[in-house]
Amino acid sequence: MLLGESGCGKTTTLKTINRLIEPTSGRIFISGDDIARTDPVILRRSIGYVFQEIGLFPHIDIAGNIGMVPKLLGWPDDRIRSRTAELLNLVGLEPDKYQNRMPDGLSGGQQQRIGVARALAAGSKIMLMDEPFGALDPITRTNLIEEFAKIQKELELTVVMVTHDVLEALILADRIAIMRRGELLAMGKPVELISRPPHPYVSELLNTPRRQTEKVNRIVKGEGKDDL
Amino acid sequence: MTYSSIAEQLQLLPYYLGSHLLLTLLALIAGILICVPCGVLVTRIKSLQWPTLTMAGILQTIPGIALLAIMVPLLGRIGFLPALIALIVYSVLPILRNTVTGILGVEKSVIEAARGIGMTDMQSLFKVELPLSLPVIVAGIRTAAVWVVGTATLATPVGATSLGNYVFSGLQTQNISAIFVGCVAAAALAIIIDQTIRLTEKTVSRRNFKLAALTTVLILVLFAAGLSPLASRSNFGEANETVVIGAKPFTEQYVLAKLVANNLSENGFRPDIRSGLGSIILFEAVANNEVDCYVDYTGTIWTNVMKRTDLPPRDRILMEMTTWLKKEYGIRCLGALGFENTYALAVRKETAHRYDLQTIDNLSRLSAEFSMGSDYEFFTRPEWKELKDEYNLNFKELITLDPTLMYSAIAQKQVEVISAYSTDGRIVDFDLVVLNDTKQALPPYDAVLLLSDRASENSSLIRILEELIGEIGDDAMRNANKIVDVDGQSVDSAAIYLKSLVDSSRD
């Protein structure tokens, strides 16, 4: 989980992994292979990619959006069809009801479910997610985070996710990398980072949800909003 | 405008419409094939964007008729090709601009998704960017289509047959039915092509099979109509030899071209009239064997082509011209038709009375107070310079007009003097007085029949054309012109009148 303020370099780091951006220095290995030696197009087809703007193809129906990568990979049609139905079930949308709809007929939450399904379609075990739930309303967002955590466990996915939401990072992450002004400040398990912060900024950042909760509690007790 | 006169014009419709359609469709298809890939390239190589779009913008500011006209000297020929290329150039801007804006207008997130899931640049282009920008690109093609259909009507003066033939000849011969049919046909064609393109887009983007069938039928019909003039020509081609007859843009020329055409088709030839061509364009077309025959005037060739300033007697002019044309261009002069059509300065009868005008010489003292109107050519020709210097003419204003409108202008007192044609029936009809050229500043303008090098090898063609030599006198030609210009009858009826005179004199 890449965590940090806007403009600190999280997204840039993420995009170097599927070579949407080429690193100026350093090397990246996936399962021991230097990705600089892999064709970027083949690399990207083997890595799922989900981002905040979703980017569904508005002129193609839901089934076509989900089946795009398998189609690029040359899967036979019936295999693509059954895979699409399987994925729609996985992200909690009935295949018969949704597969022939166009993307603009769906809510934001439903669209991002399709975005996740599209990223999973070719069976990649690696997912890159750039603030995938950032544009959703809080309730939809919480539901989706929980469901995605389940999917991740079930499919044993390796996910690199960018977020600036501390709570989301704490709930989902095995390991958190905290970035600031283009540099890696700290990396470790959430518990370790909270209990033994290597840097005052890390402590301040990771304790934000706790401080917010305390404020909420005070409001609930009627201690006034002025302190906020 | 009567039903019968419209019906008469409608007989020409298949040929004009088909030629117009072929020109338009080919220009549009070439425009799409050139501009869409160029537009795509420009979105990939950003540094090309500004120069390309600016260049296209500049081309668009050239008026359609100028663009068509400039293609003739550039390509060194008249007819279909220069018209086609000018129209392709005309279709560039809307298609190119809309392709670029369409593709650049595709949402960035969608393009990022396409790259992110592993599409190659080509896949992203064909599966995502082009389908999403299709409506914008098609809008550009539709704009281009309407422009091209409209501008193609201006292809007539460069020798390409189009619906413009109706408009140009209709204007010259005051045939309202012809103008009307031309306008309606051009407008209808623009609408049909525009709607066909719209339907095609709908079919492609919705994958609707009923629409697809309808669209295919429409497109096939359009193409079949466009190719029909070619097909009919090639069918007859084996039996009948095509002879291209040229005509300058005024009534007399239309009538004579029609007369020649009628005589040729009676004898098994297939005449093809290219009307509305300017003097120089027409002469060069004959020199290049693109036009087989036309009627010109000795004075025009003498001063404009041979650049002579001396004026020997008319027989010597005809003789020297005949030798010179053969030697320099291989053009054969068959001989004089029998009448002269000279430029003649004419004034209203009341003007002549009031100022006591009988000769051009009388005009010189008054010219500073008068305006003069003339046709498209006269003021730029050496004859005018000669006339002006010889008589010391210095008019208040020189106005270039369509020959038809020139007569209205003098009748409505917008100009005092015009350069009338001496065989024109309207001189009498508009009550004009012709001023004598006492100093003989203007050369004689005997009408002569000229043949291209290629056509002069065809003895049976020459035999038919020679029947006209010396057979059409001043009165006959003036009457024929009057039939069209004053009586408002068709060019065809004037041609039939002339033919009856020629035939009866032979009998």
Side-chain angles (χ1 to χ4, degrees):
Chain A
M1 184 73 70
L2 297 166
L3 182 63
E5 300 163 2
S6 307
C8 73
K10 308 181 295 278
T11 296
T12 308
T13 309
L14 186 85
K15 286 183 176 174
T16 58
I17 300 175
N18 66 358
R19 296 186 63 184
L20 282 175
I21 296 175
E22 296 291 343
T24 47
S25 66
R27 295 201 286 172
I28 298 166
F29 294 90
I30 294 177
S31 313
D33 297 324
D34 187 346
I35 61 161
R37 294 210 199 110
T38 316
D39 180 86
V41 170
I42 293 169
L43 178 75
R44 286 175 205 145
R45 288 177 190 172
S46 68
I47 299 176
Y49 183 61
V50 181
F51 61 121
Q52 183 172 337
E53 294 87 359
I54 307 172
L56 295 182
F57 305 122
H59 58 299
I60 301 174
D61 65 9
I62 299 303
N65 265 283
I66 297 177
M68 185 57 84
V69 182
K71 202 171 171 191
L72 294 178
L73 291 170
W75 289 19
D77 284 350
D78 49 346
R79 187 169 162 212
I80 296 177
R81 249 195 310 278
S82 61
R83 178 66 179 159
T84 306
E86 185 186 334
L87 284 163
L88 277 169
N89 282 322
L90 183 72
V91 298
L93 297 172
E94 291 166 48
D96 292 342
K97 197 168 158 197
Y98 288 95
Q99 59 189 0
N100 293 324
R101 291 222 209 154
M102 299 307 274
D104 59 4
L106 268 55
S107 71
Q110 289 169 331
Q111 287 192 17
Q112 195 56 296
R113 285 167 196 264
I114 305 301
V116 170
R118 179 174 67 181
L120 291 169
S124 15
K125 288 291 172 193
I126 303 173
M127 293 265 278
L128 304 181
M129 307 184 88
D130 190 354
E131 300 195 28
F133 311 119
L136 305 176
D137 68 84
I139 296 177
T140 312
R141 182 179 177 155
T142 315
N143 288 340
L144 256 180
I145 290 175
E146 280 172 14
E147 283 178 43
F148 182 69
K150 250 185 267 168
I151 292 172
Q152 187 205 347
K153 249 181 223 126
E154 198 179 309
L155 301 179
E156 298 173 332
L157 299 174
T158 304
V159 180
V160 181
M161 188 186 288
V162 162
T163 187
H164 56 239
D165 183 319
V166 179
L167 191 63
E168 190 175 290
L170 291 172
I171 294 171
L172 284 173
D174 296 315
R175 291 203 295 168
I176 298 177
I178 293 170
M179 296 187 64
R180 192 186 184 196
R181 294 181 195 141
E183 286 182 2
L184 181 66
L185 216 56
M187 185 157 81
K189 292 184 176 162
V191 193
E192 289 169 10
L193 289 176
I194 289 185
S195 50
R196 289 189 300 280
H199 192 281
Y201 177 76
V202 173
S203 147
E204 195 192 330
L205 186 69
L206 292 185
N207 279 306
T208 334
R210 191 180 290 169
R211 282 199 305 279
Q212 283 171 336
T213 317
E214 281 163 11
K215 276 177 197 163
V216 172
N217 285 340
R218 258 183 285 149
I219 293 167
V220 173
K221 284 177 198 156
E223 288 176 19
K225 284 181 189 174
D226 300 343
D227 304 347
L228 280 172
Chain B
M1 194 161 59
T2 61
Y3 286 119
S4 64
S5 67
I6 289 179
E8 190 183 10
Q9 293 303 322
L10 286 177
Q11 288 176 356
L12 295 165
L13 190 64
Y15 180 45
Y16 288 175
L17 184 66
S19 308
H20 196 103
L21 197 53
L22 188 67
L23 197 57
T24 309
L25 290 178
L26 286 182
L28 269 181
I29 291 169
I32 294 168
L33 290 181
I34 295 168
C35 299
V36 173
C38 277
V40 170
L41 192 69
V42 158
T43 61
R44 297 304 197 257
I45 306 169
K46 292 272 187 299
S47 58
L48 287 179
Q49 208 162 306
W50 187 84
T52 314
L53 287 179
T54 310
M55 186 68 194
I58 291 171
L59 287 178
Q60 200 66 59
T61 59
I62 304 174
I65 186 109
L67 198 59
L68 283 157
I70 198 140
M71 286 302 157
V72 174
L74 279 185
L75 296 175
R77 56 183 304 171
I78 60 155
F80 190 78
L81 193 68
L84 178 65
I85 291 179
L87 292 177
I88 293 173
V89 171
Y90 223 58
S91 74
V92 165
L93 181 71
I95 302 180
L96 188 69
R97 192 183 48 201
N98 282 40
T99 306
V100 174
T101 22
I103 290 181
L104 293 182
V106 174
E107 252 188 89
K108 292 287 162 289
S109 64
V110 175
I111 295 177
E112 199 194 323
R115 286 189 68 207
I117 67 166
M119 283 192 186
T120 61
D121 193 42
M122 280 294 145
Q123 286 167 336
S124 166
L125 181 66
F126 285 105
K127 285 179 191 288
V128 179
E129 292 168 68
L130 281 179
L132 285 176
S133 49
L134 192 67
V136 184
I137 297 176
V138 169
I141 296 173
R142 288 171 65 179
T143 308
V146 173
W147 287 1
V148 167
V149 171
T151 311
T153 55
L154 302 175
T156 300
V158 300
T161 306
S162 74
L163 290 170
N165 285 38
Y166 276 129
V167 180
F168 281 87
S169 70
L171 185 61
Q172 294 314 317
T173 61
Q174 305 201 35
N175 188 330
I176 299 167
S177 306
I179 299 177
F180 177 76
V181 172
C183 289
V184 172
L189 186 62
I191 293 169
I192 290 169
I193 292 185
D194 181 55
Q195 290 304 310
T196 307
I197 300 171
R198 191 181 67 91
L199 272 179
T200 312
E201 185 214 349
K202 256 192 178 170
T203 310
V204 171
S205 59
R206 295 196 193 160
R207 291 164 202 249
N208 181 328
F209 293 107
K210 255 187 218 160
L211 271 182
L214 179 65
T215 316
T216 317
V217 168
L218 255 176
I219 292 176
L220 285 179
V221 167
L222 282 178
F223 270 95
L227 292 173
S228 62
L230 291 185
S232 64
R233 184 172 302 175
S234 62
N235 278 346
F236 288 100
E238 287 166 26
N240 302 354
E241 199 173 340
T242 301
V243 177
V244 181
I245 305 160
K248 302 184 191 194
F250 50 89
T251 303
E252 180 171 298
Q253 288 272 326
Y254 291 111
V255 174
L256 291 171
K258 189 73 193 170
L259 173 67
V260 170
N262 288 348
N263 283 0
L264 288 179
S265 56
E266 263 179 30
N267 288 282
F269 286 92
R270 189 175 165 73
D272 180 9
I273 300 178
R274 302 285 168 84
S275 53
L277 301 166
S279 287
I280 299 299
I281 287 185
L282 188 48
F283 180 81
E284 282 176 1
V286 173
N288 295 336
N289 290 314
E290 291 176 78
V291 168
D292 294 314
C293 70
Y294 81 112
V295 174
D296 213 327
Y297 306 90
T298 48
T300 304
I301 303 278
W302 188 257
T303 51
N304 290 273
V305 184
M306 298 169 72
K307 311 279 182 203
R308 296 281 288 260
T309 46
D310 57 323
L311 281 180
R314 70 191 321 152
D315 294 346
R316 272 267 312 281
I317 288 185
L318 178 60
M319 212 176 66
E320 275 191 43
M321 188 199 78
T322 306
T323 324
W324 188 86
L325 284 178
K326 189 75 202 164
K327 194 168 130 254
E328 297 290 322
Y329 292 97
I331 294 175
R332 175 157 175 185
C333 174
L334 276 189
L337 289 173
F339 70 93
E340 183 191 20
N341 182 9
T342 180
Y343 273 115
L345 296 201
V347 296
R348 287 184 297 276
K349 196 175 262 172
E350 49 142 59
T351 316
H353 281 313
R354 191 188 316 161
Y355 298 101
D356 192 23
L357 300 176
Q358 275 140 26
T359 65
I360 303 177
D361 211 14
N362 298 152
L363 259 184
S364 56
R365 60 196 156 86
L366 293 161
S367 64
E369 293 162 44
F370 285 174
S371 297
M372 177 173 166
S374 186
D375 61 21
Y376 297 118
E377 290 182 9
F378 188 59
F379 290 137
T380 60
R381 285 169 63 147
E383 293 100 310
W384 165 241
K385 194 177 173 302
E386 191 63 33
L387 194 71
K388 198 176 65 164
D389 294 347
E390 189 68 37
Y391 290 103
N392 194 21
L393 298 174
N394 213 341
F395 287 104
K396 190 172 68 180
E397 200 180 359
L398 298 177
I399 302 168
T400 300
L401 288 159
D402 185 273
T404 304
L405 302 177
M406 185 170 80
Y407 289 95
S408 322
I410 194 164
Q412 290 160 12
K413 303 185 181 177
Q414 286 159 328
V415 294
E416 282 74 32
V417 184
I418 60 168
S419 64
Y421 309 112
S422 62
T423 48
D424 202 316
R426 286 171 290 197
I427 291 179
V428 179
D429 189 52
F430 282 80
D431 225 5
L432 303 178
V433 173
V434 171
L435 302 177
N436 291 325
D437 176 16
T438 45
K439 296 183 184 174
Q440 293 201 327
L442 292 171
Y445 288 92
D446 289 311
V448 286
L449 200 50
L450 301 185
L451 249 72
S452 70
D453 194 22
R454 191 183 61 135
S456 47
E457 284 163 12
N458 188 331
S459 55
S460 59
L461 174 67
I462 290 177
R463 215 173 306 122
I464 298 159
L465 294 177
E466 272 179 338
E467 289 171 6
L468 297 173
I469 299 302
E471 294 296 336
I472 304 168
D474 285 338
D475 285 337
M477 195 65 238
R478 198 174 294 126
N479 283 336
N481 286 334
K482 186 171 159 289
I483 287 174
V484 176
D485 291 330
V486 181
D487 305 342
Q489 295 186 47
S490 68
V491 168
D492 211 19
S493 37
I496 290 166
Y497 161 78
L498 275 187
K499 185 165 170 49
S500 68
L501 289 186
V502 173
D503 288 349
S504 65
S505 84
R506 249 188 311 145
D507 288 343

